[in-house]
Amino acid sequence: MKKVFCNLFGHHFSISKKVTQHIKEYKCIHCGKQVTTDVNGNLSTLTSELKDINATLEDIYQRRHRAEQQVA
Ligand SMILES: [Zn+2]
């Protein structure tokens, strides 16, 4: 039933995880569908492959962010 709602009105995504400043993971509050911003800035279905990529990006992003804080 919830998926019918999404088909009629579209998904209602809310941010589930901030990966980097530009890449975020979203989850539909109605059906639980997960999507993520891909490298082109479009929303893609969050596959296990993209999840791995995001985990790597998050790691790099946080490491760089931490390095910047130490310099400042
Ligand atoms: Zn949905």
Side-chain angles (χ1 to χ4, degrees):
M1 282 308 281
K2 284 183 175 181
K3 284 191 176 177
V4 173
F5 183 89
C6 288
N7 284 337
L8 288 175
F9 302 107
H11 298 289
H12 186 146
F13 293 115
S14 72
I15 295 171
S16 60
K17 188 180 185 181
K18 190 182 171 186
V19 179
T20 72
Q21 203 160 0
H22 304 292
I23 297 176
K24 297 174 185 72
E25 290 177 6
Y26 302 87
K27 193 173 185 178
C28 177
I29 62 170
H30 298 299
C31 69
K33 180 184 170 71
Q34 288 182 290
V35 295
T36 184
T37 325
D38 66 17
V39 286
N40 298 315
N42 301 312
L43 287 180
S44 298
T45 303
L46 186 63
T47 59
S48 57
E49 193 186 356
L50 278 171
K51 232 173 192 173
D52 280 352
I53 292 170
N54 280 357
T56 306
L57 287 174
E58 187 185 17
D59 190 50
I60 295 167
Y61 178 74
Q62 288 188 348
R63 225 175 277 181
R64 196 188 299 165
H65 201 69
R66 230 174 284 146
E68 279 171 7
Q69 281 180 332
Q70 281 172 357
V71 172

